[in-house]
Amino acid sequence: MTYTATASTNNAILSIAACALMAGAIGLFSINSWAQAQPKVAAATQTKPAAKASEPVTLNFQAAEIEAVARTFASITGKNVVVDPRVKGTLTLITDKPVSRAVALGQFIAALRLQGFTLVESAGLYKVVPEADAKLQSGGVTIQESGQVGLPAGNQIATHIYKLNFESANNLVAVLRPLISPNNTINANPGTNSLVITDYADNLRRIARIVAALDVANATDVQVIALQNAVAVDLAPLVLRLIGSIASAAPAGQADTSFKTTLIAEPRSNTLILRAANAAQLALVRSLVDKLDQPDGNGSNGAAGNIHVVHLKNADATKLAATLRAAVSGTAVAAHATPPGAAGAAGAAATTTGGQIQADVASNSLIISAPEPQYRQLRAVIDKLDARRAQVFVESLIAEVSEDKAAEFGIQWQGALGKAGDGVIGLLGSNFGTGGKNIINLATAGTTGTVAPARGLNLGLAQNTNGVYVLGFLARFLEDSGSGNVLSTPNLLTLDNEEAKIVIGQNVPFVTGQFTNTGSNNTGTVNPFQTIERKDVGLTLKVKPQISENGTVKLAIYQEVSSVLASTVSAPNGPTTNKRTIESNVLVDDGAIVVLGGLLQDEYSGNAEKVPGLADVPLFGNLFKSEARTRKKTNLMVFLRPVVVRDTRDSSSLSLNRYDLMSAGMQANQPVPSSLVPINTSPTMPPAPVPKATASAPKPLVPLMQSAH
């Protein structure tokens, strides 16, 4: 029997040619397919009897429509075929010799699969649908039990459930997913530890063989490995990382039935407790442990054994010992707190620090009692912490410029109107100010010497009244000016992250209390006393630098400039101090100048005393008034520059720079030679020592005072 399909004018014509029986065994017949324009042929085709199911067929479809080919296979198989409207295209299917009808159907499904379609059987009905929708059709569902697989024949799509006994379904999903066609699915059910796969039957059989090979029981017996040189706590996590067995825990709500290699360190006996997933893992772990458990190649510590002495060069032994003990104990506590598992089991048993660290203050050394591997770890940390610490040279400049001006002018009159013996005598005059500035005070008390004329130019006229000279006119003229230039340059050199302080000034006493026993009725001895508190008055600078990796310097600064007010030195309540304080945190580049703060103050005050009316007369009014004016101007600025000193070369350069500066100043301030006074020289600093040769020239350091100038 031959089925032929040809394409002519976009219409498929199917013909079945029937031939006579040859040799009484093989029957060939032909049936012409129907067409819309040939109803008679279609009727004739319907009247032909159906061929027997055992007869072979020969396929010869050339670019035939898929729908027409499907109808042909409906007549071949004797089952109804439904074609999805989305299935479009042509199909070429040719066999060189007759084949069975089951083989022909399989070739038809394979040809559909190559074009993204497939044939799904449901309740005796064949459906030609897109491959992506085949998993949603009501195909057959089979279950694998006891290793038996009941899958349909051919390459039809089916759903199969694999029940696993040993391996985790979640683990196999990642292994099998690349073997599943893109349009089909694979899912894991953690509750029953099963796999649900929808794919072609022939691929499901291959996956069944893969699952059977992977779903096997594993795990060896517990092995105890004794270590001779290495530390178990250190070696266990290293071996686990090398064999790649560190895995995260199963997600919440999912069962993880897979077995992992477990390696636990037992620090008391310095052994490893191992349970491998299989014999290969066991051999691998033992091989790694044998290679890593080797003695130190540099030799032993001699008779000292595991007790090592480390002499420090820069760090403080007491502080460094406390830091190392905290670091080692913190690591052990963190490992002990790790949840149990393949990765955390090694550290869970680490309940000790693995060694003891003590400080010897006299020699500034560390005494470490630890195995060789633990000692090597600690020694690496000590070498990093015992490095030479950088220093910071902090220069500060306090510049204060002040200027004071005062001017006073005043004319005063006093006189009597009348003669001796008159019943009424009049008084006329003006007086301004107090003390020696007032004409009345000066006239009455000046003769006794208790009141002296005020500062400045004083002009007075006295008249004789009844044989007594009385001061009747006083004129005062005063102009006062003062200026000051105060420059302070306190410098400090300190280690990184260490506070330094410099105080330049006086320790002034301040009365805080007294007892005189005045008015007491006791007849005993009176013992008056005072309580005094002394405070530093002058210049105070406190700095704590912190050097960052990029070279900038963070400074915590406290600077104070204080002085005692001269007019209050003998005050009964104690002296009054002027105080200027700056407390700040700044960030400065190495060698850069920064201004911390300043004060720009300008004060003006004016006072006028006058006789109303008369003093307002132009020019003439100056005889009846007194004026005083003052102006005070203060400029105060504080500058700072940190210089990082990292090595001996920078330190020598800085020291020699300041040494030469002081030596030059002393040489320039020698006394003028004199033949009368035998002392013609002053002590000077000796020549600076010659620094050792260095690989490169030191960087120049200019004093802040010179650079600011």
Side-chain angles (χ1 to χ4, degrees):
M1 183 181 297
T2 302
Y3 294 89
T4 304
T6 60
S8 175
T9 64
N10 297 329
N11 293 321
I13 302 177
L14 301 177
S15 64
I16 304 176
C19 300
L21 293 175
M22 306 177 80
I26 302 174
L28 299 177
F29 60 93
S30 174
I31 301 176
N32 294 327
S33 298
W34 65 94
Q36 296 295 335
Q38 299 175 349
K40 294 181 179 181
V41 177
T45 303
Q46 296 175 357
T47 60
K48 295 290 182 180
K52 294 181 180 181
S54 60
E55 294 181 358
V57 295
T58 301
L59 304 178
N60 186 16
F61 294 98
Q62 292 287 344
E65 294 289 340
I66 295 178
E67 184 177 359
V69 178
R71 290 172 182 170
T72 302
F73 274 95
S75 52
I76 292 176
T77 59
K79 294 184 180 181
N80 295 327
V81 178
V82 178
V83 180
D84 192 285
R86 293 172 293 178
V87 178
K88 302 293 182 181
T90 59
L91 189 68
T92 298
L93 187 60
I94 301 175
T95 57
D96 296 335
K97 59 182 179 179
V99 296
S100 64
R101 304 193 179 206
V103 173
L105 181 62
Q107 292 182 357
F108 175 55
I109 298 175
L112 290 175
R113 183 175 177 181
L114 294 176
Q115 299 194 32
F117 310 117
T118 189
L119 183 68
V120 178
E121 182 179 6
S122 176
L125 178 67
Y126 284 154
K127 301 178 183 179
V128 181
V129 296
E131 188 181 49
D133 293 345
K135 57 180 176 293
L136 304 178
Q137 304 296 327
S138 57
V141 178
T142 57
I143 302 176
Q144 176 183 355
E145 295 180 353
S146 301
Q148 301 297 326
V149 180
L151 292 172
N155 50 6
Q156 298 182 23
I157 289 182
T159 299
H160 190 66
I161 299 175
Y162 300 86
K163 292 185 176 180
L164 305 179
N165 297 319
F166 305 103
E167 187 58 62
S168 170
N170 288 328
N171 294 342
L172 288 185
V173 168
V175 177
L176 300 178
R177 188 178 298 277
L179 305 178
I180 308 297
S181 59
N183 290 326
N184 294 318
T185 60
I186 176 173
N187 296 287
N189 181 17
T192 60
N193 197 33
S194 303
L195 292 174
V196 181
I197 304 176
T198 300
D199 203 0
Y200 291 94
D202 52 357
N203 194 35
L204 291 177
R205 292 187 180 89
R206 181 180 64 150
I207 292 176
R209 292 192 294 271
I210 296 174
V211 171
L214 296 177
D215 187 26
V216 294
N218 288 316
T220 63
D221 294 334
V222 176
Q223 303 285 331
V224 178
I225 304 175
L227 302 180
Q228 302 299 327
N229 302 284
V231 178
V233 176
D234 298 335
L235 193 59
L238 177 61
V239 173
L240 283 175
R241 292 185 62 183
L242 290 175
I243 64 177
S245 298
I246 299 179
S248 59
Q254 299 184 12
D256 189 359
T257 60
S258 63
F259 187 82
K260 302 178 179 64
T261 297
T262 303
L263 186 64
I264 301 175
E266 204 286 305
R268 186 183 61 82
S269 60
N270 197 34
T271 57
L272 296 176
I273 302 175
L274 170 66
R275 187 180 185 189
N278 47 56
Q281 287 278 18
L282 175 62
L284 176 60
V285 172
R286 280 192 167 276
S287 175
L288 289 174
V289 171
D290 292 340
K291 293 179 180 179
L292 295 175
D293 187 24
Q294 299 295 329
D296 184 14
N298 298 327
S300 62
N301 195 30
N306 286 338
I307 301 178
H308 305 266
V309 178
V310 181
H311 297 283
L312 302 179
K313 300 177 182 179
N314 301 284
D316 182 79
T318 304
K319 295 181 180 179
L320 186 56
T323 302
L324 292 176
R325 284 195 295 266
V328 174
S329 62
T331 303
V333 172
H336 183 70
T338 305
T351 57
T352 63
T353 62
Q356 297 295 327
I357 305 170
Q358 300 296 332
D360 181 62
V361 180
S363 61
N364 195 37
S365 304
L366 293 176
I367 303 175
I368 302 175
S369 176
E372 187 65 25
Q374 181 80 8
Y375 168 71
R376 288 197 299 268
Q377 292 181 354
L378 292 174
R379 185 57 188 266
V381 176
I382 292 171
D383 292 341
K384 293 181 179 179
L385 296 178
D386 192 31
R388 178 188 176 96
R389 294 173 62 184
Q391 302 179 87
V392 179
F393 181 73
V394 181
E395 293 181 288
S396 61
L397 187 148
I398 305 172
E400 181 176 0
V401 179
S402 61
E403 183 178 0
D404 299 336
K405 289 185 178 181
E408 296 183 16
F409 166 80
I411 297 177
Q412 303 176 53
W413 303 84
Q414 286 293 333
L417 301 178
K419 297 179 181 180
D422 292 344
V424 178
I425 298 176
L427 297 175
L428 178 64
S430 61
N431 65 90
F432 309 114
T434 59
K437 300 179 182 180
N438 189 275
I439 188 174
I440 297 178
N441 292 338
L442 189 59
T444 57
T447 56
T448 61
T450 56
V451 175
R455 295 183 306 120
L457 177 61
N458 293 276
L459 299 178
L461 296 177
Q463 63 179 0
N464 191 339
T465 303
N466 296 327
V468 178
Y469 287 94
V470 179
L471 184 62
F473 172 80
L474 177 62
R476 292 188 60 255
F477 302 91
L478 174 64
E479 182 174 350
D480 187 8
S481 62
S483 60
N485 187 358
V486 180
L487 181 65
S488 301
T489 57
N491 300 331
L492 280 175
L493 179 64
T494 180
L495 284 174
D496 180 26
N497 213 26
E498 295 288 346
E499 184 179 288
K501 178 181 179 181
I502 184 173
V503 178
I504 304 172
Q506 296 176 327
N507 195 257
V508 180
F510 292 86
V511 177
T512 58
Q514 61 182 356
F515 177 73
T516 60
N517 202 20
T518 303
S520 175
N521 295 325
N522 298 333
T523 59
T525 305
V526 177
N527 296 318
F529 65 88
Q530 288 182 335
T531 56
I532 297 175
E533 178 184 5
R534 292 186 172 271
K535 295 183 179 180
D536 293 330
V537 176
L539 190 144
T540 301
L541 174 63
K542 290 194 295 185
V543 178
K544 185 177 182 180
Q546 184 178 359
I547 305 173
S548 61
E549 290 295 331
N550 59 0
T552 58
V553 183
K554 179 183 178 183
L555 297 173
I557 304 166
Y558 175 81
Q559 189 161 26
E560 176 183 316
V561 179
S562 58
S563 61
V564 176
L565 192 62
S567 60
T568 63
V569 173
S570 302
N573 295 327
T576 301
T577 57
N578 298 321
K579 187 176 181 180
R580 301 180 180 91
T581 301
I582 295 177
E583 186 172 2
S584 178
N585 294 292
V586 297
L587 195 65
V588 193
D589 291 334
D590 181 14
I593 300 176
V594 63
V595 57
L596 296 182
L599 171 66
L600 302 178
Q601 185 177 9
D602 196 344
E603 298 180 5
Y604 170 80
S605 63
N607 182 32
E609 296 177 289
K610 60 184 180 178
V611 177
L614 295 177
D616 297 331
V617 178
L619 190 60
F620 180 75
N622 292 328
L623 300 176
F624 301 96
K625 64 181 179 180
S626 175
E627 291 183 346
R629 296 180 182 179
T630 60
R631 183 173 184 178
K632 184 178 181 181
K633 190 173 184 180
T634 303
N635 294 334
L636 172 66
M637 299 297 290
V638 180
F639 300 90
L640 184 140
R641 181 179 72 168
V643 178
V644 178
V645 181
R646 297 188 180 275
D647 49 26
T648 306
R649 184 191 63 181
D650 292 345
S651 179
S652 299
S653 175
L654 178 65
S655 301
L656 291 177
N657 184 286
R658 298 306 184 272
Y659 194 94
D660 293 341
L661 179 65
M662 295 299 298
S663 179
M666 290 183 176
Q667 293 291 345
N669 293 327
Q670 289 294 318
V672 179
S674 174
S675 58
L676 300 177
V677 181
I679 301 177
N680 291 319
T681 58
S682 63
T684 59
M685 300 173 65
V690 179
K692 296 181 180 180
T694 55
S696 58
K699 60 181 180 180
L701 296 175
V702 181
L704 176 60
M705 185 170 63
Q706 293 183 3
S707 61
H709 178 71

